[in-house]
Amino acid sequence: MGKQGRRKQRQRRKQQPLATGDAANHNSINNSTSSGSSSSSAVHKLRHADPKIRHAALIALQATAFQPSSKPHSNPHHQRVALPVLQAVREQVLDNDLECSAVAAECLVLYLQQQQQEQNSEESKSHSKHTQQREEATACWSTVLLGRLDQCYNQIKEAQQGTTEPSNSVKKRIKAWLAVTTSCAHALCLLIETNGSALEQILLQRQKFCQILFGLLELLDDATAALYVARCMHSALDENRELADTVVLAYLNSNVWKRWLENSTSDKAIMVQLHLVGCIVNLYQLVEHGRSEHQLLEDILLTYGIASTTSPNTAAIVSVAVSPTPSIPSAPEGLLTRTMKSIDLEYVTSLEAEFRSARELYELQQHDAQLEEEIIQKVNDRKEPAREIARRQKKLHDEEEQAKRKRLEEQADIDMEDVEEEIMESQTTSRGKFTKHEKDGEQAMDEVLSVWNDRIQPLQLSLEIMANLFTCWIPRDDEMVDESPMTKSQNRLQQELQRQQKGLELARLVQQLIQINERINNDTPMTPDIDETITKACACMTNCVLSNSLGGSDYASVWVQFSDMVRRFCSTSSVNNVQGASIEGLLGNMAVLVQRQPQVVRNEDLEFFHSFLSVGCGPESMKSAISVLSVAIAQATSSTMISLTEAAVGKLTQTFVELLSNIQTHPSTVLEVLNAFMDWYGQDDFFPQTFDNLKVLEAMERSLNKFQSTATTLTPEEEEILYNTEQFLEYKRTQ
């Protein structure tokens, strides 16, 4: 009776919602979104009392919702991760179970990487409100992650103290805390790089921030964890004077600099070294030039960054500053110099060949797996008895063995014992005991890409740091071109860069990267990395020229080298077939070179760039080519290598007028042409008849009216060009 009574009660409870609830409530339950139900279920599991269930829920989220493939722009049916789920994941970062804590931090890393991809995409402009809400919601993560890193530091320090040979349990404990440290530091550096509000919260506790990060760098031996810790500090110091003052006052004499910059050789450790050198460069930018700390920072950069050989006391000064026991670095070259020489054409082509072989193996294995599935499906469809399958396979096996025996017996130089041994080996293999395992194609591709990343990532980071260093000497708008923010006596670092001909070295690197880009095919993952590296190298070269760090005779050498490469591009193939990063980077550098030294331009260069405008290249390349022509013509009076004639100027002016009249001309190209006309014909004695005969004034007026009638968002620089054009036209009308 008891069992029947309970059964009836259960049945009544199941039927009650349908009996008493109205139809609308029933439909709302059935039609509830899967995201809402899955969200509540995920939150419940993430907050479960059992750590195994929490860990399983985190692993499931890591493999599904937080995967890079789950991007809203690539998958229209993708739903963003709900904020309650994010909050529950953030809570698990502080979980007492270290495995759960590490996986939760990895989930935050994946989420922040997704947000970074969305911010970099063009479609993110339509989601600016959503992005702002997400930034506000994730800003508080910095406090959580920083607190967890503080716990990691204390726990690792406690485990390492008092034990010269730690036991296995202590090693296991340290390993678990290192995993949490790596994940939390990775998440924190992404948060600093993508969320300004998070950085503001860190600045409120900058003393604690510096204490934790420098403490970890002094404590850690694991290069992977130290990499993300150093990257946090490098990113946080970018244009951050308040944090820079804290670091200089309390940690400039820390043992961290010597510990990592002198005694590390692995690939991961090189990245740690580069981030620390990047920290020194940021401090060098932000610290006032008259302070003694600025001199010390310059000495550190001379020793560890570019390895100065002109100052005999540099090594001793740095050693005393960063360590009580002086020692001279053993590296013959500075870190930045060594890293910039770490790549060559032969190495990349051999690595690309390895990747192609691995990819062919992977595709073959995928094809074999597909064939196997098809065969299995056919066998299942036939519903053949197992006995018949076994008989058929045995018959095929016997036929293969007989054919093999016959072939081996026909070879007179082979002993029968070898024949029997090979047959026995084949029989062993046929039973499933493989003596040789075929290499996994996907794993082989990952190994090649890992080697490639270990080589290309340090080079990219070195170029970023070097470009940042050159900005220290770029004159401000209110300074003369030949002036520098530092005096010559203070500027030993720039003098050393000039002595080492760093500008020519950068030019050779750009040329080498472009040659690599031409040799490798576009269907490999290495191509985007090469394009990005070319862009960074050209940006570094631009800063080198703007900062007057290029030697006087080096301008002409770099100009000839770059112009020859551009000519070769146009002679061997159309510009549309050349990688955009290569041609745009070269032309951008040439535009800066001619602004600094107009004398490098020759008559044949003017003719070439004039013909280049008709090739049909991208807007950035067109803009750079017009800029070269504009500056070269405007400064022709100070150049001994250009002879201007009215016919040549008229021909070029006609081409520019046609560009203004063409409705397909890109707006950036139109603005650059307007700028060129103002630079030329703003001089009253600059071929006034050509200006009137070709009706330049009317063409400029039409272009200006077109811009004013079109509702487009303009940058301050573009608005300034349009304003100057209005003033120029008014001036010309009054003449």
Side-chain angles (χ1 to χ4, degrees):
M1 291 295 295
K3 292 182 179 179
Q4 294 177 359
R6 286 195 295 271
R7 187 180 299 114
K8 292 179 181 179
Q9 290 177 4
R10 285 197 297 267
Q11 292 176 356
R12 284 196 296 270
R13 283 197 296 267
K14 292 179 180 179
Q15 296 173 0
Q16 187 175 359
L18 296 180
T20 58
D22 55 2
N25 185 29
H26 174 58
N27 291 335
S28 65
I29 293 174
N30 289 339
N31 297 330
S32 60
T33 60
S34 59
S35 63
S37 59
S38 61
S39 174
S40 60
S41 175
V43 171
H44 174 72
K45 292 179 180 179
L46 288 171
R47 292 172 176 167
H48 199 277
D50 189 351
K52 293 183 179 180
I53 294 179
R54 297 198 301 270
H55 186 266
L58 288 167
I59 291 294
L61 284 172
Q62 184 185 22
T64 54
F66 291 104
Q67 275 301 307
S69 58
S70 302
K71 292 183 292 187
H73 305 312
S74 61
N75 184 5
H77 302 290
H78 171 74
Q79 296 181 354
R80 301 178 186 272
V81 181
L83 286 177
V85 176
L86 287 176
Q87 183 178 0
V89 172
R90 183 205 65 187
E91 294 170 359
Q92 298 311 308
V93 173
L94 302 176
D95 200 319
N96 292 329
D97 186 89
L98 298 184
E99 292 184 0
C100 291
S101 178
V103 178
E106 290 173 3
C107 289
L108 298 186
V109 168
L110 293 174
Y111 175 78
L112 291 171
Q113 288 175 342
Q114 289 182 14
Q115 297 301 304
Q116 193 173 22
Q117 291 175 355
E118 288 187 26
Q119 291 177 4
N120 295 334
S121 65
E122 295 181 357
E123 299 180 8
S124 64
K125 298 178 182 178
S126 60
H127 300 285
S128 58
K129 184 178 180 181
H130 169 78
T131 303
Q132 183 178 1
Q133 293 175 350
R134 292 283 168 161
E135 286 186 359
E136 294 174 355
T138 57
C140 61
W141 292 3
S142 59
T143 305
V144 176
L145 294 169
L146 192 60
R148 191 55 162 173
L149 287 174
D150 190 14
Q151 294 178 2
C152 293
Y153 168 71
N154 293 327
Q155 292 294 330
I156 295 174
K157 184 177 181 180
E158 180 183 349
Q160 291 181 350
Q161 284 179 346
T163 55
T164 55
E165 285 294 333
S167 61
N168 291 333
S169 60
V170 174
K171 290 181 179 179
K172 184 177 180 181
R173 180 184 173 193
I174 294 176
K175 183 178 180 181
W177 280 107
L178 279 176
V180 178
T181 303
T182 303
S183 301
C184 290
H186 192 184
L188 183 60
C189 71
L190 288 175
L191 202 60
I192 292 172
E193 293 167 359
T194 59
N195 194 326
S197 301
L199 184 57
E200 292 176 359
Q201 292 194 11
I202 288 176
L203 289 179
L204 296 177
Q205 45 185 344
R206 53 184 177 273
Q207 294 283 355
K208 180 181 178 182
F209 176 76
C210 294
Q211 180 182 357
I212 294 172
L213 294 194
F214 278 96
L216 285 170
L217 287 172
E218 193 167 357
L219 187 66
L220 292 174
D221 293 324
D222 183 75
T224 303
L227 164 62
Y228 294 118
V229 174
R231 180 177 162 187
C232 282
M233 182 58 68
H234 186 192
S235 301
L237 280 172
D238 188 21
E239 298 182 359
N240 194 331
R241 191 174 297 275
E242 296 178 357
L243 186 61
D245 291 337
T246 303
V247 173
V248 168
L249 292 176
Y251 299 99
L252 188 57
N253 293 324
S254 171
N255 190 51
V256 167
W257 313 106
K258 173 182 172 61
R259 183 174 186 267
W260 283 101
L261 291 176
E262 289 187 6
N263 304 323
S264 303
T265 56
S266 65
D267 293 330
K268 293 294 183 183
I270 289 175
M271 292 294 290
V272 178
Q273 292 175 320
L274 286 171
H275 280 296
L276 290 178
V277 171
C279 292
I280 296 295
V281 171
N282 287 337
L283 295 173
Y284 182 74
Q285 281 184 313
L286 298 171
V287 174
E288 296 178 1
H289 307 313
R291 295 172 57 177
S292 59
E293 291 87 353
H294 189 271
Q295 180 76 20
L296 177 58
L297 290 167
E298 188 175 66
D299 292 334
I300 296 175
L301 286 174
L302 285 169
T303 301
Y304 297 111
I306 61 174
S308 171
T309 57
T310 58
S311 178
N313 296 324
T314 298
I317 292 172
V318 177
S319 299
V320 172
V322 301
S323 172
T325 57
S327 62
I328 299 176
S330 59
E333 289 182 313
L335 182 63
L336 296 175
T337 304
R338 295 200 313 269
T339 310
M340 290 173 62
K341 298 177 181 178
S342 62
I343 194 168
D344 54 46
L345 179 61
E346 183 179 356
Y347 172 80
V348 177
T349 52
S350 63
L351 204 60
E352 184 199 20
E354 292 182 20
F355 178 80
R356 290 189 173 281
S357 301
R359 187 169 61 181
E360 290 175 0
L361 177 60
Y362 171 73
E363 293 174 351
L364 180 61
Q365 290 173 347
Q366 290 293 103
H367 180 67
D368 292 343
Q370 184 178 0
L371 289 178
E372 184 177 351
E373 291 178 0
E374 293 176 356
I375 292 172
I376 292 174
Q377 184 64 35
K378 289 180 180 179
V379 171
N380 293 335
D381 293 341
R382 287 201 305 264
K383 297 181 180 180
E384 187 177 8
R387 180 173 295 180
E388 294 296 329
I389 296 175
R391 289 175 178 174
R392 177 164 46 80
Q393 290 180 344
K394 184 178 183 302
K395 182 179 179 181
L396 291 174
H397 175 69
D398 293 342
E399 292 176 354
E400 291 177 357
E401 294 299 328
Q402 291 177 4
K404 186 180 296 185
R405 181 184 292 273
K406 183 178 180 181
R407 185 178 67 256
L408 294 176
E409 288 178 349
E410 290 176 354
Q411 298 178 2
D413 57 338
I414 297 181
D415 193 6
M416 288 303 297
E417 293 182 0
D418 296 335
V419 176
E420 295 294 338
E421 183 179 350
E422 184 170 346
I423 293 174
M424 290 297 296
E425 181 180 351
S426 64
Q427 291 176 352
T428 303
T429 304
S430 65
R431 296 189 185 99
K433 300 178 181 179
F434 296 97
T435 57
K436 292 184 180 180
H437 297 278
E438 186 180 25
K439 190 173 184 180
D440 182 74
E442 186 174 7
Q443 180 182 358
M445 286 195 300
D446 293 339
E447 291 175 357
V448 174
L449 291 178
S450 177
V451 174
W452 167 250
N453 289 331
D454 289 340
R455 186 64 65 93
I456 196 67
Q457 289 177 355
L459 175 59
Q460 292 178 348
L461 183 56
S462 296
L463 291 170
E464 292 178 7
I465 294 171
M466 187 66 72
N468 200 17
L469 179 60
F470 282 127
T471 58
C472 298
W473 309 298
I474 295 179
R476 297 186 296 269
D477 294 336
D478 56 346
E479 293 176 333
M480 298 296 292
V481 173
D482 295 333
E483 291 181 353
S484 173
M486 307 177 191
T487 62
K488 291 297 181 182
S489 60
Q490 295 172 320
N491 202 5
R492 293 182 296 116
L493 188 57
Q494 188 181 21
Q495 291 176 2
E496 176 62 20
L497 291 173
Q498 290 179 344
R499 188 193 69 80
Q500 294 183 4
Q501 295 184 320
K502 193 63 66 176
L504 291 179
E505 184 179 335
L506 281 170
R508 287 192 293 269
L509 178 61
V510 171
Q511 184 179 18
Q512 189 176 38
L513 289 170
I514 291 175
Q515 291 175 352
I516 292 173
N517 207 16
E518 290 178 300
R519 290 287 298 272
I520 64 176
N521 294 326
N522 295 332
D523 59 343
T524 62
M526 302 173 185
T527 302
D529 292 334
I530 292 293
D531 287 339
E532 184 179 358
T533 309
I534 291 174
T535 302
K536 293 180 184 295
C538 290
C540 187
M541 187 69 205
T542 297
N543 288 354
C544 177
V545 176
L546 292 176
S547 63
N548 300 316
S549 299
L550 203 63
S553 60
D554 296 341
Y555 284 94
S557 300
V558 175
W559 174 267
V560 172
Q561 184 177 346
F562 283 2
S563 61
D564 289 344
M565 281 192 285
V566 174
R567 282 185 171 85
R568 182 168 52 82
F569 280 150
C570 297
S571 62
T572 56
S573 61
S574 67
V575 180
N576 291 328
N577 293 332
V578 178
Q579 290 85 349
S582 302
I583 193 70
E584 291 178 6
L586 287 174
L587 291 173
N589 286 152
M590 296 179 74
V592 176
L593 281 169
V594 75
Q595 289 175 5
R596 280 288 183 263
Q597 293 287 336
Q599 294 84 358
V600 298
V601 184
R602 303 157 296 182
N603 282 322
E604 56 265 29
D605 295 324
L606 293 180
E607 296 175 1
F608 167 75
F609 279 106
H610 188 190
S611 61
F612 180 85
L613 297 178
S614 61
V615 175
C617 52
E620 290 298 324
S621 300
M622 289 283 288
K623 182 178 177 180
S624 298
I626 294 172
S627 177
V628 170
L629 292 169
S630 172
V631 176
I633 296 297
Q635 301 292 332
T637 55
S638 62
S639 174
T640 59
M641 305 184 71
I642 298 177
S643 56
L644 287 182
T645 62
E646 186 173 2
V649 173
K651 187 177 180 181
L652 190 56
T653 301
Q654 180 64 38
T655 302
F656 281 9
V657 170
E658 292 174 357
L659 287 174
L660 293 180
S661 304
N662 191 347
I663 60 175
Q664 296 181 350
T665 304
H666 195 272
S668 63
T669 304
V670 173
L671 291 172
E672 196 64 35
V673 170
L674 293 175
N675 227 1
F677 279 155
M678 288 187 287
D679 290 341
W680 295 352
Y681 296 105
Q683 308 173 49
D684 294 336
D685 56 347
F686 186 86
F687 303 105
Q689 294 181 352
T690 303
F691 183 83
D692 296 333
N693 295 337
L694 297 179
K695 300 181 179 180
V696 178
L697 186 67
E698 290 80 356
M700 295 179 68
E701 287 179 341
R702 288 194 299 269
S703 298
L704 181 62
N705 294 332
K706 183 178 178 181
F707 266 103
Q708 293 176 342
S709 62
T710 305
T712 57
T713 304
L714 300 175
T715 63
E717 182 182 359
E718 293 172 344
E719 292 179 352
E720 183 181 0
I721 294 175
L722 294 179
Y723 174 77
N724 292 337
T725 303
E726 291 180 359
Q727 300 300 315
F728 176 81
L729 294 177
E730 290 181 5
Y731 170 74
K732 283 295 183 181
R733 293 191 194 100
T734 58
Q735 286 186 334

